[in-house]
Amino acid sequence: MKKHTRTLPLLLTLFLLILGTAFLWRTGFFQAATSLEGLQAYIQTFSPYTHLVFFLLQLVSVVLAPIPSNVTAMAGALLFGIWPAFLLTWAAVALGSALVFLLARRLGRPFADRFVSQKLSARYLELIHRKRDVFLTMAFLFPFFPDDILCILAGLTDIPFPRFLVIVALFRPWGLLVACAVGGSMVDIPIWGMILLGLAGLGLFLTAMKYGDRVEEALLRRLGRK
């Protein structure tokens, strides 16, 4: 009976994902996703429901890896402006992150294995188990980690859902805000600037991974004495 209750939600989830992918394919999304102008034109074809379609695209992007949420965020900023696009993206990504986390926690490895390769699971799952809050915080802050996959893998660990949701709400939005700012032409970062930011981010991430546990323990001891 327990196996049956796990199988039905998994099959329903897979069916909805296949249906959604087929819809995106038939409506020309994947062809449009090759450029910002193409994405902008694609979203505009659904007028007057462009805001809703943009929100749903960002929500689906958390589960369907081929959809780049940062790129669609840039296209949204061109259409709606920086702040509307950012708030819609933030809400959609937070909701999608919570959804895949809860599905992974409810359905376990059978769900995760359908979306995460064994190679990525082996690379990140042990880190999430061991470093947990520190790793997720730093990984969400920087753009070179597979955030959506990490949300699925986090559902396989013992991290409490409210704590996971707080980390997502506080630390996932910053890369999305940068994407919206670039898309809205508020920020024009040259290639050398992007390289420097990436190197600085990598250095900060490695430092946090090495010393994060010590900092966390020191803070807990200090708070405990108070």
Side-chain angles (χ1 to χ4, degrees):
M1 183 67 180
K2 186 176 180 180
K3 183 178 179 180
H4 184 66
T5 58
R6 285 175 176 267
T7 302
L8 282 179
L10 178 58
L11 291 176
L12 179 60
T13 301
L14 292 174
F15 173 75
L16 291 175
L17 288 174
I18 292 171
L19 194 65
T21 304
F23 173 79
L24 292 173
W25 180 266
R26 291 293 299 273
T27 55
F29 171 81
F30 294 106
Q31 293 88 336
T34 56
S35 69
L36 286 179
E37 294 77 11
L39 279 172
Q40 184 179 3
Y42 174 83
I43 296 171
Q44 284 179 317
T45 61
F46 294 94
S47 181
Y49 307 108
T50 50
H51 288 80
L52 175 61
V53 169
F54 176 74
F55 176 85
L56 292 175
L57 280 176
Q58 297 297 67
L59 177 61
V60 173
S61 73
V62 179
V63 183
L64 292 180
I67 300 179
S69 58
N70 285 329
V71 175
T72 47
M74 293 171 67
L78 287 173
L79 274 173
F80 312 124
I82 295 167
W83 292 110
F86 168 67
L87 292 174
L88 285 168
T89 300
W90 186 7
V93 168
L95 179 59
S97 300
L99 176 63
V100 296
F101 177 94
L102 291 173
L103 284 171
R105 176 147 295 179
R106 169 71 176 169
L107 303 175
R109 289 306 293 257
F111 171 80
D113 288 344
R114 281 164 173 79
F115 299 95
V116 185
S117 68
Q118 292 295 324
K119 181 179 179 181
L120 287 177
S121 290
R123 179 183 301 173
Y124 293 116
L125 189 56
E126 188 273 336
L127 270 175
I128 300 174
H129 271 295
R130 185 160 51 89
K131 297 288 186 177
R132 212 168 69 170
D133 297 13
V134 172
F135 175 75
L136 288 175
T137 296
M138 300 306 297
F140 288 156
L141 276 175
F142 301 110
F144 40 80
F145 288 92
D147 294 357
D148 302 330
I149 287 175
L150 295 180
C151 290
I152 296 174
L153 294 176
L156 301 179
T157 70
D158 61 351
I159 182 171
F161 176 66
R163 181 180 297 181
F164 168 80
L165 204 56
V166 168
I167 293 173
V168 166
L170 291 180
F171 298 105
R172 280 208 72 173
W174 299 108
L176 302 172
L177 179 58
V178 171
C180 290
V182 172
S185 300
M186 179 185 287
V187 178
D188 185 14
I189 304 176
I191 296 297
W192 62 267
M194 295 294 289
I195 294 173
L196 288 178
L197 285 174
L199 290 174
L202 179 61
L204 181 60
F205 175 81
L206 293 175
T207 301
M209 290 301 296
K210 185 173 182 179
Y211 300 108
D213 289 344
R214 302 180 192 177
V215 173
E216 184 178 6
E217 290 174 4
L219 288 173
L220 288 174
R221 285 198 301 268
R222 181 178 294 272
L223 291 172
R225 285 198 296 270
K226 293 181 179 181

